Amino acid sequence: MTDRLLAQLAETRSANTRANVLEELRRLILSGGAPPGTQLPPGEIADAFDVSPIPVREALKTLVGEGLVVHRPGVGYRVSQLSTEELREIYFVRGTLEQAALARSVGLIDESSLETARARHIELLTAVKYNDGKAFHDISREFHRALTEPCAMPRLLNMFEATWNLTEPFQVMRSVTAETQQALNTDHADLLAAFGDRDTASVLDVAHRHHQRLESAVIETAALLDVRHD
């Protein structure tokens, strides 16, 4: 782990040691601050938080259970790396879960949630205009949340969020081309139109097309990042 990452952890520590170690390690991984393959030495992390290694190891074990970290005896803890095929599988599962949430949301979503999604869509268009990959990546998730959360199925949403988290360290949407971003935004606009019409069949048709496009984006990004098995 680099000195820069350790400094980030040291700056964010709080009095609630165990919760804070877990929260900050998770935040660092999900934000792309600790890319796939990054070594996570418990002793150095403990020093950054000014705590014993025990809460650090507990936090790392929790992250192993979430799939964000891997542990190998004699090697230690590292941020999970995934092959292209593993990424494609996760996106397939994520798409299946999202389509289930969207199908239920169509009949339950209110105008406030729709307005939130529309606002996120405008922000996505702005991100593409100014070539802001980070904003596009972050706001994409907020857009999808605005349309899925009205389904009011917490277990389904938890599974959806968990599968999304598995791909976050790769920051896929930050690396795709502007052309792909524009195509994804077209899908977003079509989703909003279908939701506005309360047309479940159209919502699912667009969602299926969107996730096929995401799969292509995964392959595109994996090639750029040379994603490999750990």
Side-chain angles (χ1 to χ4, degrees):
M1 179 176 281
T2 67
D3 292 340
R4 181 178 63 81
L5 297 182
L6 289 170
Q8 288 183 59
L9 293 174
E11 289 173 1
T12 55
R13 66 173 184 251
S14 71
N16 190 347
T17 302
R18 179 176 177 179
N20 186 242
V21 172
L22 175 60
E23 177 184 328
E24 289 306 319
L25 284 175
R26 186 188 289 118
R27 179 196 59 76
L28 193 65
I29 293 170
L30 294 181
S31 69
T38 300
Q39 198 78 27
L40 300 170
E44 293 181 34
I45 296 172
D47 289 343
F49 279 96
D50 195 23
V51 298
S52 78
I54 294 176
V56 175
R57 292 185 186 279
E58 290 176 346
L60 289 170
K61 287 178 181 178
T62 297
L63 294 172
V64 168
E66 294 177 4
L68 295 175
V69 170
V70 293
H71 177 254
R72 290 186 177 178
V75 177
Y77 295 92
R78 303 177 78 176
V79 178
S80 294
Q81 288 179 299
L82 299 170
S83 69
T84 302
E85 286 306 308
E86 288 170 324
L87 278 170
R88 290 178 67 175
E89 179 183 358
I90 291 168
Y91 269 93
F92 173 80
V93 173
R94 193 179 100 184
T96 301
L97 292 169
E98 181 166 19
Q99 287 178 57
L102 291 172
R104 184 172 172 84
S105 286
V106 175
L108 297 174
I109 197 166
D110 57 22
E111 191 59 30
S112 175
S113 294
L114 269 177
E115 281 303 313
T116 297
R118 291 178 183 126
R120 298 294 85 77
H121 178 56
I122 292 172
E123 292 171 5
L124 286 168
L125 294 173
T126 302
V128 174
K129 178 179 179 180
Y130 290 101
N131 195 30
D132 190 341
K134 183 180 185 307
F136 187 86
H137 179 91
D138 294 342
I139 298 166
S140 290
R141 188 165 188 174
E142 295 175 15
F143 172 85
H144 285 266
R145 277 181 177 148
L147 294 180
T148 54
E149 286 184 348
C151 80
M153 299 180 73
R155 293 174 183 83
L156 173 59
L157 291 172
N158 284 340
M159 289 188 287
F160 176 52
E161 288 287 321
T163 55
W164 196 306
N165 282 348
L166 291 174
T167 64
E168 278 295 87
F170 296 88
Q171 300 285 294
V172 172
M173 291 297 100
R174 294 181 67 169
S175 303
V176 297
T177 64
E179 181 181 4
T180 298
Q181 290 178 339
Q182 290 168 356
L184 293 170
N185 274 341
T186 296
D187 294 340
H188 293 157
D190 291 344
L191 269 176
L192 288 171
F195 261 91
D197 293 338
R198 298 299 193 272
D199 186 341
T200 302
S202 292
V203 165
L204 293 179
D205 181 61
V206 175
H208 179 68
R209 184 179 76 225
H210 188 62
H211 283 96
Q212 287 183 319
R213 205 184 305 279
L214 282 173
E215 182 176 310
S216 297
V218 170
I219 297 171
E220 172 188 327
T221 304
L224 289 172
L225 300 179
D226 189 26
V227 180
R228 300 181 300 274
H229 278 294
D230 188 17

